[in-house]
């Protein structure tokens, strides 16, 4: 990340340019399309506007209440919104009504609620299933080897479109370990394809481990800190 140096670009625009540059460098000779999701959780709408002005279109949010207010404040922007957090059943409606993607579905009940509450006039909600690739007990997601049943269900629900898998590596700082964990997600998607379930998305990689994710086939990177800077302890709240 770069600090503001007084140039004409905003710091967010500079960070975006740097992150995009590093990603395309890492992709040299690889024609795969990679979507950068700028994770704007805890940051105010003004920072999202800055990123949008710099050409960024996909944004990721984790907290439903915060996101609902933020999306409303930015309703004039044709942005694509990704819900990347863990979703509770009682918030499924808010998410189904406002977002374009949900990355971390890990239960049939949540998939059914999202489908039921997807407004009829909108395209089906793009859904990824979260797989617990680090196998830490505290992490969400279905176990590796258990995504197929849920993927089949998602594929049958009219309000949803199954897109692929999402995973988070353990925060080890060890690139070999990160790659081994991301490889579990890649192989899981290959297993779904072999079983006849088409998915084009591997949502994996954050500010600290996106290189490992890209090396293992990521098609969506979810990057927050490297674009917007460190997060404050408290989420942005709309003030009346
Ligand atoms: C916060 C978050 C990110 C972004 O993390 P950074 O380290 O800030 O890039 C990505 N994915 C999920 C699920 C997150 O909660």
């Amino acid at each position: 990340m770069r600090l503001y140096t007084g140039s004409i670009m905003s710091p967010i625009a500079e960070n975006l340019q740097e992150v995009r540059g590093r990603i395309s460098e890492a992709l040299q000779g690889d024609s795969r399309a990679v979507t950068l999701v700028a994770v704007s959780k805890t940051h105010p709408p003004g920072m999202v506007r800055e990123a949008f002005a710099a050409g960024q279109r996909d944004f990721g949010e984790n907290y439903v209440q915060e996101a609902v207010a933020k999306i409303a404040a930015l309703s004039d922007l044709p942005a694509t919104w990704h819900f990347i957090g863990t979703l509770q059943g009682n918030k499924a409606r808010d998410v189904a009504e406002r977002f374009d993607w949900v990355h971390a579905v890990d239960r049939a009940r949540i998939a059914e609620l999202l489908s039921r509450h997807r407004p009829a006039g909108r395209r089906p909600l793009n859904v990824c299933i979260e797989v617990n690739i680090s196998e830490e007990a505290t992490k969400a997601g279905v176990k590796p080897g258990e995504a197929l049943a849920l993927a089949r269900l998602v594929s049958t629900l009219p309000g949803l479109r199954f897109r692929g898998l999402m995973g988070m590596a353990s925060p080890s700082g060890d690139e070999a370990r990160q790659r081994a964990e991301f490889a579990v997600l890649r192989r899981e998607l290959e297993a779904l394809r072999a079983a006849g379930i088409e998915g084009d998305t591997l949502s994996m990689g954050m500010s600290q481990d996106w290189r490992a994710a890209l090396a293992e086939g990521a098609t969506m990177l979810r990057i927050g800190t490297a674009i917007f800077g460190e997060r404050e302890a408290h989420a942005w709240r709309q003030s009346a």
Side-chain angles (χ1 to χ4, degrees):
M1 198 187 71
R2 233 181 251 165
L3 296 174
Y4 188 43
T5 52
S7 74
I8 218 155
M9 280 178 104
S10 80
I12 289 171
E14 283 195 23
N15 290 341
L16 266 171
Q17 191 180 59
E18 189 166 320
V19 168
R20 290 195 194 115
R22 290 212 211 113
I23 291 168
S24 51
E25 233 172 79
L27 274 171
Q28 282 291 305
D30 185 334
S31 59
R32 150 173 43 133
V34 173
T35 301
L36 173 60
V37 178
V39 177
S40 47
K41 65 183 179 202
T42 78
H43 297 300
M47 289 173 74
V48 175
R49 275 190 197 282
E50 263 185 58
F52 190 92
Q56 180 62 30
R57 292 295 175 267
D58 291 82
F59 295 93
E61 290 283 335
N62 284 55
Y63 311 110
V64 177
Q65 260 186 302
E66 180 195 349
V68 164
K70 200 179 296 181
I71 293 170
L74 296 166
S75 60
D76 56 309
L77 299 186
T80 299
W81 291 98
H82 299 250
F83 189 76
I84 64 173
T86 303
L87 185 53
Q88 308 296 320
N90 62 354
K91 301 278 171 59
R93 181 185 207 125
D94 283 328
V95 168
E97 288 178 349
R98 291 167 176 85
F99 281 82
D100 303 290
W101 284 74
V102 176
H103 287 235
V105 171
D106 65 356
R107 279 167 292 161
R109 170 100 186 118
I110 294 293
E112 285 159 358
L113 285 169
L114 286 171
S115 179
R116 186 188 312 159
H117 290 302
R118 185 65 171 170
R122 296 197 59 180
R123 270 184 284 181
L125 186 61
N126 296 294
V127 163
C128 292
I129 290 170
E130 181 174 7
V131 179
N132 183 351
I133 53 173
S134 69
E135 301 211 55
E136 291 172 70
T138 55
K139 288 273 169 67
V142 302
K143 289 198 181 108
E146 293 182 358
L148 181 59
L150 190 51
R152 279 200 210 284
L153 172 71
V154 168
S155 302
T156 65
L157 292 170
L160 308 184
R161 179 175 171 206
F162 176 72
R163 295 303 296 267
L165 302 177
M166 179 270 208
M168 294 169 81
S170 42
S172 63
D174 171 354
E175 190 162 344
R177 178 162 176 197
Q178 292 162 359
R179 282 194 64 158
E181 293 179 357
F182 289 134
V184 171
L185 202 68
R186 173 173 48 73
R187 286 195 296 267
E188 188 81 0
L189 189 65
E190 287 162 4
L192 296 191
R193 287 193 186 130
I197 304 286
E198 275 310 316
D200 58 8
T201 301
L202 276 176
S203 168
M204 56 189 197
M206 324 202 309
S207 294
Q208 297 302 326
D209 56 19
W210 65 265
R211 279 175 194 283
L214 213 53
E216 293 298 336
T219 64
M220 268 193 181
L221 305 173
R222 308 178 311 270
I223 296 184
T225 309
I227 296 169
F228 295 109
E230 296 293 333
R231 285 180 285 274
E232 314 237 329
H234 297 288
W236 170 78
R237 292 257 183 279
Q238 190 177 38
S239 51

